[in-house]
Amino acid sequence: MPSRPHAAGLVDRFGRVAEDLRVSLTDRCNLRCTYCMPEEGLAWLPKQTLLTDDEVVRLVRVAAERLGVTEIRFTGGEPLLRPGIVGIVAGAAALRPRPRLSVTTNGIGLARLAAPLAAAGLDRVNVSLDTLRPEQFQALARRRRLEEVFEGLRAADAAGLRPVKLNAVLMRGINDDEAVDLLSFALAHGYELRFIEQMPLDAQHAWRREDMVAGEEILAQLRSVFTLSPDPAERGAAPAETWLVEGHAAADGGPAKVGVIASVTQPFCGACDRTRLTADGQVRNCLFSQDETDLRGLLRGGSSDDELAQAWRAAMWGKRAGHGIDDPSFLQPARPMSAIGG
Ligand code: SAM
């Protein structure tokens, strides 16, 4: 491996620069989505290994002030279950340069938290919504809480956490016929919808490529009803390839869009600008990486901000060219998505 050049930011040996940080605030969740968690039996991270609120804010500060991170997304598990989330967002919003701040959530709890989070400085939310039908929600998420997700969406919109983005994963035989309905719902409410291909990150290791609903199939469903044209906007490092939905306007008056994140069938690793911090203080340079760098140990061992930044840079320098799902040697990471932070 070539040696790392002297650079302040999170560069890797393929020339990518990570500016987008995903921070997991907890591995716990109040849903049990089949593509993510088992019904029961998943051990939680031990409490003493979880970063405290102050430790999270310190690492986020190192990222924004020393490492060039400009975008921070809080996730989990379910980040709204973290009691200190409003204070953590306020701490991140006080940083200079101020990063853009968002949360990925299942929406449960947003009815109560959207306004305080907006007041603390949150810019927007991504809400996961895989189905509009209560029975399918029960089959997918193993809980009867769909109505709370809708309440959360309304609260996010009312609090100005816009654009409200929706994430949907389609599962074969459960909700694979809902692409059109989900887009109609998003268009009617001024939400921006993105479909995500199911990835091999479930705790049960039950993912099978043959079962996955691929991006092309989703687009074919959408095109049976909507006219989609390529989005002329520069894609950059965005994971979603986006299309304009002709004849529909977005909430801001611009053209309505729909996105597909085809992580499996059309990987976008070459443009990846993400770095990840788990709830127990490990840096991961990829969703699928087998290695982690322990910032919690360094932090609790008395390391300076400079030393933490240097360890983070070294972690990113080792990032692989791609996730390698198609390689015969591919190994699913030991951590499930819920403990990495999606
Ligand atoms: N609990 C929050 C939520 O539901 O959005 C945040 C964490 S969740 C792990 C983040 C996103 O990852 C969700 O949109 C979820 O649908 C997606 N996700 C989880 N497991 C996935 C998988 N195996 N493949 C693709 N997306 C997945």
Side-chain angles (χ1 to χ4, degrees), residues 274 276 284-289 316 319 322-323 340:
R274 270 166 280 295
R276 294 172 188 276
R284 297 178 62 89
N285 57 27
C286 173
L287 265 179
F288 294 94
S289 66
M316 295 307 293
K319 181 168 172 143
H323 57 43
I340 295 173

Side-chain angles (χ1 to χ4, degrees), residues 29-31 33 35-36 74-79 104-107 126-128 130 167-169 196-202 207 337-338 341-342:
C29 193
N30 39 17
L31 299 180
C33 299
Y35 52 74
C36 191
F74 296 104
T75 180
E78 176 43 51
T104 297
T105 169
N106 60 32
N126 276 45
V127 178
S128 300
D130 301 326
N167 291 346
V169 177
I196 309 175
E197 284 180 347
Q198 189 200 354
M199 295 178 279
L201 285 167
D202 55 313
W207 181 88
M337 181 72 126
S338 57

Side-chain angles (χ1 to χ4, degrees), residues 4-338:
R4 189 183 181 282
H6 187 76
L10 295 172
V11 298
D12 68 39
R13 62 195 198 279
F14 302 100
R16 295 168 296 191
V17 183
E19 297 178 337
D20 183 342
L21 167 61
R22 304 286 156 107
V23 181
S24 174
L25 294 181
T26 177
D27 58 325
R28 294 182 185 241
C29 193
N30 39 17
L31 299 180
R32 291 288 179 278
C33 299
T34 54
Y35 52 74
C36 191
M37 293 173 89
E39 187 151 24
E40 50 193 41
L42 185 63
W44 305 125
L45 295 169
K47 190 153 190 286
Q48 69 279 9
T49 68
L50 298 179
L51 297 177
T52 64
D53 294 356
D54 287 346
E55 287 172 339
V56 172
V57 173
R58 176 164 174 212
L59 291 179
V60 158
R61 179 167 56 72
V62 168
E65 291 182 351
R66 292 169 187 261
L67 297 172
V69 163
T70 56
E71 187 94 42
I72 298 175
R73 172 92 57 88
F74 296 104
T75 180
E78 176 43 51
L80 301 188
L81 292 179
R82 172 100 184 197
I85 186 170
V86 174
I88 292 172
V89 167
L95 299 174
R96 294 295 175 268
R98 182 197 188 285
R100 285 183 296 278
L101 301 172
S102 58
V103 165
T104 297
T105 169
N106 60 32
I108 296 169
L110 257 189
R112 178 175 58 84
L113 282 166
L117 283 170
L122 191 72
D123 296 311
R124 45 167 219 90
V125 286
N126 276 45
V127 178
S128 300
L129 179 69
D130 301 326
T131 174
L132 303 169
R133 304 186 298 216
E135 315 77 60
Q136 273 67 19
F137 189 88
Q138 158 76 25
L140 265 173
R142 303 192 182 100
R143 299 287 185 273
R144 294 197 172 278
R145 305 189 73 170
L146 179 58
E147 203 43 53
E148 290 168 78
V149 181
F150 291 137
E151 284 166 20
L153 280 169
R154 289 192 289 271
D157 208 12
L161 295 171
R162 298 192 201 109
V164 173
K165 293 194 180 178
L166 300 181
N167 291 346
V169 177
L170 296 186
M171 295 285 286
R172 183 73 62 205
I174 304 179
N175 62 341
D176 56 346
D177 57 347
E178 276 197 80
V180 167
D181 290 349
L182 284 163
L183 181 54
S184 302
F185 173 84
L187 293 170
H189 291 86
Y191 306 144
E192 212 176 298
L193 173 65
R194 295 122 43 100
F195 292 94
I196 309 175
E197 284 180 347
Q198 189 200 354
M199 295 178 279
L201 285 167
D202 55 313
Q204 316 85 292
H205 292 222
W207 181 88
R208 282 161 36 102
R209 195 186 182 104
E210 311 83 82
D211 293 341
M212 187 190 69
V213 183
E216 279 304 325
E217 182 179 338
I218 296 167
L219 285 169
Q221 281 190 39
L222 297 179
R223 287 193 168 113
S224 69
V225 172
F226 299 100
T227 304
L228 307 182
S229 55
D231 183 356
E234 182 75 32
R235 180 172 175 186
E241 187 164 8
T242 47
W243 280 265
L244 307 184
V245 188
E246 286 185 16
H248 294 269
D252 65 2
K257 297 182 183 190
V258 61
V260 176
I261 303 182
S263 329
V264 178
T265 59
Q266 293 177 49
F268 37 85
C269 304
C272 179
D273 70 345
R274 270 166 280 295
T275 179
R276 294 172 188 276
L277 180 65
T278 64
D280 56 347
Q282 311 298 303
V283 167
R284 297 178 62 89
N285 57 27
C286 173
L287 265 179
F288 294 94
S289 66
Q290 298 291 336
D291 310 313
E292 302 184 334
T293 296
D294 179 20
L295 292 191
R296 182 188 78 241
L298 290 175
L299 186 149
R300 292 185 182 169
S303 291
S304 65
D305 286 356
D306 258 349
E307 287 162 336
L308 291 167
Q310 203 44 38
W312 205 325
R313 289 185 191 105
M316 295 307 293
W317 182 245
K319 181 168 172 143
R320 293 190 315 155
H323 57 43
I325 292 177
D326 284 330
D327 293 352
S329 61
F330 174 74
L331 270 184
Q332 187 172 333
R335 270 189 202 255
M337 181 72 126
S338 57

